[in-house]
Every structure is written in C-alpha cells, then in structure tokens.
Amino acid sequence: MAETRALYNTLAPMRNVTAFLTLMRRLENRGHGLPGMGCFYGPSGLGKTTASVYVANEEQACVVQVKSVWTQKKLCQAILAELGVHPAKVIGDMVDQIAEVLARDGVPLLIDEADFLVKKGMIEIVRDIYESSFVPVILIGEELLPQKLRKWERVHGRILSWVAAEPADDDDFDLLRRIRCPEVEIDEPLLARMRRASGGSARRIVENLELAREIAATRNLDRLTLEDWGRREFFTGITPDARRISA
Amino acid sequence: MTQDRSPKDAAVRERAWCHAQAMGAFTYKDLAEAADISRDAATALVRAWEARGSLCRRPDALGARIVFEVTDEADTSCAKGARRVRAATPQGNMWRAIRGLGSFTYRDVAMHANTSSVPVSEGAARDYCRMLANAGYLRVERKARPRGRLAVYRLVRDTGPRPPREKRVRAVWDDNRGEYAYIAGGVA
C-alpha cells in the first residue's frame, strides 16, 4: 500500500526544500568569476535541517553539523571523516586534502549550525576550503547568521545568494498531510486548528499529524473530527507560563 | 614520436578537468597552478581536451597568452565522475537521513531519503530501521504499539558516512555446541 503512494512521499515540493535546491543549482551553475558560497538561514523549527538532509540526498553532498565545542582541527577531521579520507596531521594539510576530494568528486559542502564557526572565529577556514576547491559551499544557520557574517568581509563577499527559510504555508501543510496521514481523512475545523497551533513550523505540523494518525489508528477511524481529538493539547511549541507558587 | 606527458592518473586528470570547468576560461599556467600539475602536463591535457572539442581558443587574446574557454558542448564528465564515486543508493540516502535527523520514525526516514533519482519506499525504510536496531545502531526511544503508534528511534552508533548493509553470508552451524563455528568473511 505504501509503495503505490511513493509518488507523494517526497519532500521536494516543500517551500523550503525547493528554495534550498534552487540555491544549490544556482551555485552549481554559476558563471565564471561569480562567488560560489551560499547561506540558508532562519529560526529553528522551520525545517532547515530537513531541507538540508533532503538536498544532501538529492545531490550526494557532504554534510557536517558543527558542534559548539569544535576547534579548527576537529572541523577538518569531521569533514574528512565525512568524505571517507584518513586525515593528515596538520590543519593546513587537512584543508588541502578536503579541497582535493571535494574538487575531484565535485561534492558540494553543506555546513549546518554555521553560527558556531562565526562565534569561534573559524569561518575563515571554510573560505579557505572554498577558495581551493571552488565547489558550492552552503552555510546553514540561525536567523542572525547573515548579520554575524557581515563582520567577516572576505567570507561575506563570497556569498552569492542569501536564502531565508520561510514558515510552512497551506500547500506545505497539505503535502505533509498527504505524506504523514494518507489513510485518514481529517475534517476542515480540525485541520484549521492544527494549522494555527503549528504556527508554520514544519516540525510541529508533523508532530500534530502524527498524533492524529495515532488517534485514528488506535480507535479504528478513517475520518477524524474535532470531537475525536477531544481535549488533547496540540503541539504548539509554546513554553508553559510561570506558575504562581507562594513560598 | 613525442612523449605523452599528460598525467597517467585518471583522478588527477578528472580533478584538472573540474578545475578547468570551475575557472571557465584559463591559460596553460592557470590550469597548472590550479590543479597543481606541471606546465607540460597542463599543456598535454589542454591539447587533449581541445582535440575532443571541450575547449576553444578565445580569439581576443593579447600577445603570446592563449586563453582557452570551456565550450558549451563540453561534457560535464566532472559531475558524472562524481556520481560514480559517490553513487546514490537507497541505503546511502536512508543512512544520511538517519544521521541528520537524530530521533525519527521510519516514515521520517522514507520522507527524507526518497529523492528524484533514488526512490525509497516506506517499506524499505521500515526494514532498514529494524535491521539497524537489531544490529545495535539504533535505540528504540519510544516503543511501537500494535495499532497506530510508530517506534521512535535514535542513532546511538554513528560509525561513519558509509551505510551499514545487510549481507547474506555462508556459515557453518554446529548443532553440538549451538554456535557458528565459522562465518565467511569474519565474525559478526
């Protein structure tokens, strides 16, 4: 049954995925002399990582997710591990190794959580990698990443395109509903509540839809209404208010 | 007979071609410096590419500098080569999705791994997740219920970029001892 629906089960038409893929294609097909770095930014929960995973699969790209404690050496080692290459001992040599493999195989490089690179002043190393490989390099980060990069003029100037992640719209919601809840029909008032509660966050939409599918499956329904949902909370991502507790 | 000085190593030739494509227009010297090969090797390569029609000489060059341009008809063997080196497979896509997602259900994996070039069905994702869970790569974070609720997995053993694969192996089973006496290709 799942197989017949394979056609719908792709994230490609999602707004942010399309934007990311377009950015990648622009960088790949850029004209001579144009810079080849890109930046994809936005608040968390909008599906940046989802989009990067999908695009990495589509393009067979190399993805690294930077951690807050990483040093320059660790970053190089992580990229080399991702490329399946045994790292050299010195950072300078590692950068050459990375550039060589990326350029030889034509592999684009995606760097998630790039904010940490800026914070620790490691962003120049990414420029080094780009300058010696000329493959597309995309930095993925939080909403303020472009502002943070402004300080690093040499990096900033090499960015061809800045793409902002957008909140999920109604088409995205519909697509996710077809992927995650194909066997259940959800009536319009419940859908509307869900849409509002999710607030454009792809992650919350998926959580709410998954809960809907669960309710329908456990109670053997093929149609779900607001009454079936009952008093259950929606996933809204809002933190609870402070309680008034007298000491 | 002149000696062929073009690089013997296919990887070097391919890398040089990638640099040539990246630069678009270049001289012998540019290519030699970018691809880190000798001037003779660069000259030999450029002549070979020119002969196969991938390059043309830019007419407005000044003096002795000959500038070559990658023509539109040139094949993008760089990209094709890259596909071969990093061939897309269903397992590769699923493994990449698993490593990128952190905690997930098999449906999440299918959704992220199913691309235009490599179709991944939900059934395949379910089998792959089960196999990885049995092999100790994934921990079940929330158990599945018979009806409805899907298992939520978390990656606990990230061994690297290459996807673990299920293999069928020949083995010798000893009924007296209740163990495998020999497993072809190493012990699990």
Side-chain angles (χ1 to χ4, degrees), chain B residues 116-128:
Chain B
S116 57
S117 51
V118 180
V120 176
S121 69
E122 290 194 343
R126 193 183 51 223
D127 295 346
Y128 191 63

Side-chain angles (χ1 to χ4, degrees), chain A residues 57-58 60, chain B residues 83-93 96 115 117-118:
Chain A
N57 274 332
E58 186 72 57
Q60 299 301 307
Chain B
R83 283 281 177 274
R84 245 177 289 121
V85 173
R86 295 170 68 86
T89 61
Q91 282 100 344
N93 279 10
R96 195 177 286 120
T115 60
S117 51
V118 180

Side-chain angles (χ1 to χ4, degrees), chain A residues 10-34:
Chain A
T10 169
L11 288 175
M14 288 274 292
R15 205 175 173 191
N16 284 333
V17 175
T18 318
F20 201 129
L21 209 50
T22 313
L23 169 65
M24 179 68 95
R25 298 271 149 80
R26 261 194 82 187
L27 293 177
E28 275 174 344
N29 303 323
R30 69 189 187 273
H32 175 57
L34 287 177

